[in-house]
Amino acid sequence: MFIFIGGDPSHLSPEAQQANMQKWFEWIEKLTKEQRYVAGEALLPGGKTVKGAKRTVTDGPFAESKEVVGGFFVVNAKNLDDAVALTKDYPDYELGGAVEVREIQKFDM
């Protein structure tokens, strides 16, 4: 799984934002043609955090944070190194974005 952190294009001109979005579409198309892309979505800003034994609910995450998760992909990869190699075309590196690459643990039910 790729977890996309940061990389906020909101400060860009509308034309630059569209160009950035085109890079995303091209990356998804490439991963799809290689049969690597399984699923993915962008996440809307904001949300709630629920934690603790009393299930305390707080607002957040906030867009001011550089650690805001903006979306995710699930990809097919042979191993963690193969998955990391697939991130080379991530469009938001130039915007300060990062990709957290995680293996998914499957459970038999």
Side-chain angles (χ1 to χ4, degrees), residues 23-33 37 73:
K23 290 178 185 177
W24 277 93
F25 294 146
E26 289 168 3
W27 189 35
I28 293 168
E29 184 178 343
K30 177 183 175 188
L31 292 171
T32 300
K33 284 181 180 177
Y37 181 83
F73 284 178

Side-chain angles (χ1 to χ4, degrees), residues 2 4 27 31 82-91 93 99-101:
F2 297 162
F4 305 119
W27 189 35
L31 292 171
D82 184 38
V84 168
L86 294 176
T87 69
K88 69 178 168 44
D89 297 323
Y90 168 61
Y93 286 129
V99 182
E100 183 175 328
V101 181

